[in-house]
Amino acid sequence: MSNRLRFAPSPTGYLHVGGARTALFNWLYVRRYGGQFLLRIEDTDQARSTEESTRAIFEGLRWLGLTWDEEVTHQGANVERHQADARQLLALGHAYRDFTPPEQLDRLRKEAEARGEAFRFDRRLAELPPDDVKRRLERGDPYAIRFRVPDGETSWDDLVHGTITFPNRDIDDFVILRSDGSPVYNFAVVSDDVAMRITLVMRGDDHISNTPKQIMLYRALGAELPRFAHLPMIHGMDGRKLSKRHGATAVGDYQHLGILPSAMNNFLALLGWSPGGDREVMTMAEMIELFSADGLLAKASIFDPKKLEWMNGQHLSRTSAAELDPIVRPLVIQAGLAAAEELEARRDWWLHLLDLLRVRARTTHDIVRQAATYFADGAQYDADAVAKHWKDRAASADTLAAVHARLSETAWNAPVLEEALRKLSEELGVSTGKVFQPLRVALVGQLASPGIFDVLSVLGRERSLARIRAAIDFLRAD
RNA sequence: GGCGGUAUCGUCUAGAGGCCCAGGACACAGCCCUCUCAAGGCUGGAACACGGGUUCGAAUCCCGUUACCGCUACCA
């Protein structure tokens, strides 16, 4: 039988990194072992669910490349089935009507708490004799439907935790259908997972305690049990549950921070999974190949943005300029560095520049920032760069004048330029740095840049000479 | 409170009884390479939560303690 896995977020916010990782593992499992990866939006909670959140989830998943099979299921559309399933359990005697007003339950709970006791739901008080039920039904009294928790114990073999067992006596008869006819989470999930023929439920381990209830529900419904895998949580650097206080928690945030989808997936995959050995930087294809449920970890992990950045830098330097182009080009246009037509017209030049910048960037933003000067008319001199390498203005101007003269008569390609400038510094009797550094400032205005000969090539003869000229003028002014 | 889960460097992790006085990566510090910055290379500090067992031998198995997390709703 083929695997059917699902990711079932509730649309009450953005796609959280924890949710994204759950989705990733489900997706990876299906890609590795075959089957379908389904998406179900748990929008039963009308009050908190929003269209916007649903869209954000779709967007986040698409950005990560975690595409799903078949139509998206909306839990809210299945309420009739949930109700029918509840009626079936009622008919089978696995559930009963509870006419106890919620307020009364609330009061009892509070009283027990005040006495320092644990509140236990008492079936004997709630389950009325048939005649009473009939009378109340005729009267139209509201009631909730409660599941009758059987005696014994419930256990399952979790793919990440091994065997987990719960004594049923610790679980109160729980509501499956509210008095307004809406299904309660644990019940809707089971009804939907059965209907979707899910074979492996892979989700956060905050659902471990829900699992025995759900297993009892499967059995009462006469449905085949899926397998379960409970993934550990992801926490913030302070070890607490990841929240707004930790800064970026939505995958969309990282997209805007200049993180590559492949890096995000790679980083997330390593929180809670290990391919074994020292393997760290992986492409999606490699992750699929290496993925195994055996490598799933049980310990909660902490989200370290620093390592994500490093990972992104690794992906940036392993992704070709041509592949990066569709991601970075829009950013360059958006930053107002160049028009779309201009980039298209100078495609080769642009890819060359991108190739030089990607290896020393950690985010796509770094690339855009560093690219600016190559699109500008002239260099903007950074104060620190000037202070450091143009300290002696007259001497710097003389050096640049010598460079200008030499370069004016040199063929324009990196090896030849290098030979010419090294020879020049030898003739001037100074170290290459004494020539290259002032030149770098003249060319890009910054302390850091790609190798100076690469900069000369990518800038081209005309612009390079013009910038050197401008720097000399600048240094000799006043 | 009850029940359940988890526990290796600050962080992510390797480790499935001897290969481990614990390996890799991020971060940090230093050095090297070098035209700068990255990258890369080398070096350094840094961990098996605690206590009992089992065993010739335990980071690895068992029990307890502690800490953290989750569930305990007519929330999801």
Side-chain angles (χ1 to χ4, degrees):
Chain A
M1 187 178 61
S2 104
N3 299 300
R4 288 176 67 81
L5 278 69
R6 85 318 192 255
F7 173 53
S10 48
T12 52
Y14 295 97
L15 180 60
H16 194 270
V17 292
R21 195 208 44 180
T22 299
L24 172 63
F25 286 164
N26 275 280
W27 184 89
L28 244 20
Y29 188 97
V30 165
R31 285 300 160 107
R32 172 68 178 77
Y33 300 109
Q36 287 90 44
F37 169 60
L38 312 175
L39 180 58
R40 181 173 73 226
I41 303 296
E42 309 232 312
D43 50 3
T44 318
D45 187 347
Q46 302 287 356
R48 286 200 286 164
S49 302
T50 69
E51 265 309 298
E52 198 194 350
S53 297
T54 305
R55 262 199 310 278
I57 289 166
F58 290 166
E59 251 172 60
L61 253 21
R62 278 199 205 100
W63 178 64
L64 289 169
L66 307 180
T67 50
W68 51 93
D69 306 307
E70 305 183 5
E71 288 279 294
V72 174
T73 302
H74 288 269
Q75 187 163 67
N78 300 327
V79 175
E80 282 182 25
R81 171 166 36 72
H82 301 151
Q83 293 171 339
D85 283 346
R87 278 196 300 274
Q88 191 196 333
L89 292 188
L90 210 47
L92 260 26
H94 288 128
Y96 57 90
R97 295 183 176 84
D98 177 13
F99 292 90
T100 319
E103 305 77 49
Q104 186 183 332
L105 246 24
D106 230 46
R107 206 186 63 234
L108 258 27
R109 227 185 299 273
K110 287 217 174 68
E111 284 172 7
E113 200 182 322
R115 271 180 275 124
E117 292 168 17
F119 174 78
R120 294 302 315 257
F121 182 82
D122 193 342
R123 182 189 302 162
R124 290 165 307 176
L125 260 42
E127 193 175 10
L128 273 23
D131 289 352
D132 288 7
V133 171
K134 205 170 172 187
R135 200 168 333 110
R136 281 171 167 269
L137 241 28
E138 280 161 4
R139 217 202 296 167
D141 284 1
Y143 62 87
I145 298 182
R146 265 182 205 277
F147 182 70
R148 189 193 306 281
V149 173
D151 292 337
E153 57 180 35
T154 303
S155 74
W156 74 95
D157 189 29
D158 197 277
L159 287 195
V160 350
H161 295 274
T163 303
I164 299 180
T165 305
F166 282 81
N168 292 2
R169 53 173 309 165
D170 291 328
I171 301 167
D172 284 341
D173 284 357
F174 53 94
V175 171
I176 57 176
L177 210 65
R178 299 187 186 90
S179 44
D180 67 0
S182 65
V184 166
Y185 174 77
N186 278 312
F187 187 60
V189 166
V190 172
S191 179
D192 288 348
D193 282 339
V194 170
M196 289 166 79
R197 306 193 319 280
I198 299 302
T199 59
L200 203 209
V201 172
M202 194 185 277
R203 79 243 285 194
D205 67 11
D206 46 340
H207 288 289
I208 286 181
S209 308
N210 288 325
T211 306
K213 297 178 185 174
Q214 296 181 8
I215 288 176
M216 291 187 278
L217 252 14
Y218 274 95
R219 295 214 238 259
L221 250 12
E224 199 174 326
L225 275 179
R227 302 220 289 156
F228 293 92
H230 286 97
L231 276 11
M233 302 275 93
I234 297 177
H235 293 155
M237 280 305 277
D238 56 359
R240 305 200 64 86
K241 206 171 141 184
L242 208 53
S243 73
K244 308 282 180 296
R245 293 180 300 102
H246 297 99
T249 55
V251 299
D253 295 340
Y254 290 97
Q255 177 181 3
H256 299 305
L257 251 26
I259 300 296
L260 257 24
S262 64
M264 192 74 205
N265 280 318
N266 192 168
F267 176 73
L268 250 21
L270 258 19
L271 297 182
W273 172 69
S274 166
D278 298 333
R279 212 52 196 283
E280 293 230 88
V281 182
M282 293 170 279
T283 61
M284 286 295 256
E286 288 168 332
M287 284 191 272
I288 291 169
E289 191 185 331
L290 262 24
F291 190 79
S292 152
D294 297 338
L296 257 17
L297 276 357
K299 192 186 75 161
S301 50
I302 289 173
F303 191 95
D304 181 2
K306 280 270 185 50
K307 187 152 185 178
L308 205 213
E309 269 207 17
W310 166 79
M311 181 70 79
N312 203 52
Q314 293 293 316
H315 278 256
L316 238 23
S317 57
R318 284 164 209 225
T319 308
S320 73
E323 289 172 280
L324 246 27
D325 179 37
I327 296 171
V328 184
R329 190 191 287 222
L331 300 177
V332 166
I333 295 168
Q334 202 184 326
L337 264 35
E341 308 76 56
E342 189 189 343
L343 282 175
E344 193 46 47
R346 298 207 284 165
R347 188 183 149 83
D348 287 347
W349 173 81
W350 156 239
L351 290 184
H352 180 205
L353 175 63
L354 186 51
D355 202 43
L356 292 179
L357 299 181
R358 71 186 169 88
V359 293
R360 65 202 81 228
R362 284 208 153 187
T363 66
T364 53
H365 286 353
D366 289 345
I367 295 181
V368 175
R369 210 175 304 121
Q370 289 165 28
T373 189
Y374 302 91
F375 286 97
D377 289 335
Q380 291 243 331
Y381 307 132
D382 172 75
D384 291 342
V386 170
K388 186 157 187 193
H389 299 300
W390 286 357
K391 205 169 177 186
D392 183 336
R393 294 174 74 100
S396 299
D398 292 346
T399 303
L400 289 175
V403 169
H404 189 276
R406 184 60 52 95
L407 257 25
S408 298
E409 57 199 32
T410 305
W412 216 265
N413 67 68
V416 177
L417 290 167
E418 174 161 8
E419 201 193 330
L421 287 181
R422 285 194 187 281
K423 195 150 165 258
L424 177 64
S425 44
E426 203 175 307
E427 287 168 18
L428 294 176
V430 296
S431 66
T432 54
K434 286 277 183 264
V435 176
F436 298 173
Q437 296 294 50
L439 176 57
R440 167 169 286 109
V441 181
L443 260 16
V444 301
Q446 303 289 318
L447 279 168
S449 83
I452 202 72
F453 314 110
D454 286 326
V455 172
L456 284 166
S457 331
V458 81
L459 231 30
R461 184 191 173 92
E462 301 307 316
R463 303 176 76 202
S464 297
L465 291 176
R467 287 190 185 199
I468 296 168
R469 187 77 259 164
I472 295 169
D473 292 346
F474 172 83
L475 288 166
R476 287 188 176 155
D478 69 37

